[in-house]
Amino acid sequence: GTTAQEDFGITSHYMNTDILCADMAHLGKSFSRQRDISELTATEDPTNGNNARAWRFLYRIVNLTNLIIDANGGEDVVPESATGKHNLGQAFALRGFAYYNLIHYYVNDISDLSKPVLPIYRSANDLEQPKSTLQEVFDITLSDLLNAETLLEGFNRSDKIEINQDVVRGLIANTYGALNNWPQTEIYAKKVVDAGYPIMTADEVALLPGEDGSVGGFNDINAHNGIMWWINITAAGQGLASLFSWWGFMDTYSYAYAAVGNHKGIDAGLFSQMRPDDIRRHQFDTPRYADLRPDGKFYYLGAHLSNFRNFSGPQVNIDSDSHYMRVSEFYLLHAEAAAENGNYSASRTSLKALLDLRLDDSSYIDALPDSQLADEAALQARLELWGEGKSYFIMKRRRETRTRGTNWLDFAGESYSHNDERLTYEIPQNEIIGNPNISDQN
């Protein structure tokens, strides 16, 4: 919606929030990309473009899905045809997805349910709306997603960019998790686990010593069945330049910012919590670079053909894909929720299902006190899903305080609570000026 090179959809905000929640260290400031996010100035200035881009993007999703819902006759009308139900189900799912993200991005404390926080639009004909309470925004989020779950019964998608029932159930599990409704979180996370998607293998998630790198990289929609929701990007179809993409900001081999000084890497404190036998260390701790950048996790499609040479990837017409959800998240969310519910055996089972593919020996889980299982599951989710836009939601879900590690350029060693004003976007100044029913920040 804007000309900013950082404005390429949801993954641009996943990067920002990974920085804000302290898991993604900003290692270089060349070209000043995301400098104001790392320095925590963007989130205190309502005129800063980062705040407006997320607001515009997510409320445009709300508006576009409302057009589909309105065309069907409104929220309470159920189509007669299966195709109509499935199309409407995807619209409800996307609207719920947008509200879920808006809640986290613009609300400092997501446990303060009585506070007015965000406008709700249920129709494309709605004019400027006042703030609704957080409880009301959560209510429409869950209502939309549960409607989508019903409407998508029997839907077999032809492309992974389409939302099916499994993706919706993942969104429902996350929403219940944000509310700390652990029984429903456990139920829905288990539904995703039971859908049968395989956990990504060791060589899929990391560039292991001695491998040529043709298998991993998170770059090819056809190579990873453990990824549930993503888009197939083709050179002809999208015509993307790496300067305007997630790859340009994250992949040190692409011909863009990550290769020329705007590096990002795993927080040193988080990395230190990885066990010595964890294969995910090879995502960061590689012979190529020593600053913990993800050169062994994310690399453009075909990087191995250039022997992983820095700055070797395409500048224009990239064909590396973009992903949004994988099943590993829900093994770990199920483990977390089951532990919170006192279902410790199930928690250990889900944890070990993943860790058996990451560690030489996962038996420490059996000896771990029951009281530590939920926190261990959350930690493993941060390690497993690093750089995939999930850690910010974990921080807010578990009401955590985090500390920036020693490898940060900004505020190394400083701690931030989940409800710190500096970790949440401001309502854009243009919205406050243009909407007569909103006059203050959250």
Side-chain angles (χ1 to χ4, degrees):
T2 72
T3 59
Q5 290 184 338
E6 294 91 340
D7 190 11
F8 43 82
I10 195 64
T11 53
S12 57
H13 304 296
Y14 285 169
M15 282 196 305
N16 285 352
T17 56
D18 276 345
I19 294 171
L20 291 174
C21 73
D23 274 5
M24 183 182 287
H26 207 225
L27 307 176
K29 296 188 178 182
S30 296
F31 301 95
S32 294
R33 297 297 175 182
Q34 294 170 298
R35 180 174 182 169
D36 51 1
I37 293 292
S38 179
E39 294 176 353
L40 303 178
T41 57
T43 48
E44 294 194 293
D45 176 8
T47 68
N48 185 285
N50 284 287
N51 306 289
R53 289 194 286 271
W55 186 276
R56 175 184 172 90
F57 172 67
L58 292 167
Y59 273 113
R60 285 192 73 181
I61 291 177
V62 170
N63 179 257
L64 291 169
T65 53
N66 278 338
L67 288 170
I68 296 170
I69 295 167
D70 290 350
N72 183 66
E75 294 179 328
D76 299 325
V77 177
V78 177
E80 292 185 3
S81 71
T83 299
K85 290 177 182 177
H86 298 160
N87 289 339
L88 185 61
Q90 290 181 76
F92 274 121
L94 278 170
R95 193 172 77 172
F97 168 81
Y99 281 125
Y100 172 82
N101 282 279
L102 284 162
I103 285 168
H104 287 80
Y105 292 172
Y106 290 95
V107 180
N108 299 330
D109 185 352
I110 67 167
S111 66
D112 186 0
L113 298 177
S114 63
K115 183 177 180 178
V117 289
L118 294 165
I120 291 175
Y121 296 92
R122 308 188 78 114
S123 166
N125 296 319
D126 289 347
L127 300 178
E128 294 87 353
Q129 295 297 301
K131 290 181 180 180
S132 294
T133 66
L134 179 56
Q135 181 67 68
E136 290 169 328
V137 186
F138 265 121
D139 287 346
I140 190 173
T141 302
L142 275 174
S143 174
D144 282 354
L145 295 175
L146 291 168
N147 280 341
E149 180 189 23
T150 299
L151 290 164
L152 289 171
E153 181 69 36
F155 173 57
N156 294 311
R157 59 186 177 177
S158 58
D159 195 305
K160 278 193 175 182
I161 189 57
E162 297 176 306
I163 296 175
N164 67 2
Q165 203 171 47
D166 301 325
V167 172
V168 170
R169 286 169 172 167
L171 296 172
I172 294 171
N174 278 322
T175 305
Y176 279 127
L179 288 163
N180 284 186
N181 182 335
W182 299 117
Q184 288 298 321
T185 305
E186 181 180 355
I187 288 169
Y188 272 92
K190 187 64 162 60
K191 287 183 179 183
V192 180
V193 167
D194 289 345
Y197 298 89
I199 298 172
M200 289 175 69
T201 60
D203 57 350
E204 287 181 288
V205 301
L207 183 56
L208 302 178
E211 289 192 333
D212 65 5
S214 60
V215 175
F218 290 81
N219 53 40
D220 182 1
I221 194 170
N222 298 309
H224 308 304
N225 291 327
I227 297 180
M228 302 166 53
W229 187 25
W230 67 355
I231 185 171
N232 182 24
I233 295 175
T234 64
Q238 283 81 16
L240 287 177
S242 53
L243 292 173
F244 300 89
S245 76
W246 181 91
W247 289 97
F249 281 81
M250 288 298 300
D251 172 29
T252 196
Y253 308 111
S254 286
Y255 193 83
Y257 295 110
V260 291
N262 189 242
H263 313 307
K264 302 171 190 70
I266 189 171
D267 175 85
L270 179 62
F271 181 77
S272 71
Q273 296 184 71
M274 248 186 237
R275 292 169 60 88
D277 61 337
D278 196 326
I279 61 95
R280 293 172 298 194
R281 296 181 72 92
H282 296 297
Q283 296 174 336
F284 312 98
D285 187 12
T286 73
R288 295 174 180 81
Y289 302 100
D291 56 2
L292 300 181
R293 69 182 75 177
D295 56 302
K297 180 171 185 178
F298 303 126
Y299 42 89
Y300 75 87
L301 186 61
H304 62 292
L305 300 177
S306 298
N307 295 316
F308 293 96
R309 181 168 52 84
N310 185 54
F311 214 50
S312 62
Q315 182 179 11
V316 295
N317 294 330
I318 66 169
D319 60 353
S320 297
D321 301 329
S322 185
H323 78 279
Y324 314 115
M325 181 184 288
R326 57 188 176 106
V327 75
S328 298
E329 176 181 358
F330 300 100
Y331 276 88
L332 295 167
L333 182 56
H334 177 260
E336 179 186 341
E340 292 286 1
N341 291 327
N343 192 359
Y344 302 119
S345 176
S347 177
R348 287 185 169 86
T349 297
S350 288
L351 262 173
K352 293 181 72 174
L354 183 130
L355 292 179
D356 283 345
L357 299 177
R358 304 290 179 260
L359 309 176
D360 291 341
D361 182 5
S362 67
S363 62
Y364 81 98
I365 294 295
D366 296 320
L368 203 66
D370 293 344
S371 60
Q372 295 179 22
L373 280 172
D375 286 338
E376 180 65 18
L379 171 62
Q380 291 302 324
R382 292 168 63 192
L383 296 173
E384 176 71 16
L385 304 165
W386 184 91
E388 300 175 53
K390 307 300 179 180
S391 186
Y392 185 78
F393 302 111
I394 296 170
M395 183 186 193
K396 290 203 168 187
R397 177 172 77 230
R398 297 204 63 76
R399 324 312 191 212
E400 293 175 341
T401 295
R402 294 190 186 167
T403 301
R404 290 189 174 187
T406 56
N407 59 332
W408 281 81
L409 293 178
D410 305 305
F411 312 128
E414 294 200 15
S415 298
Y416 303 90
S417 173
H418 67 95
N419 57 3
D420 192 307
E421 174 81 18
R422 294 166 293 180
L423 304 190
T424 305
Y425 287 139
E426 293 274 59
I427 295 175
Q429 187 66 26
N430 286 343
E431 176 69 16
I432 292 179
I433 293 172
N435 186 340
N437 295 309
I438 297 179
S439 59
D440 62 339
Q441 287 293 334
N442 287 336

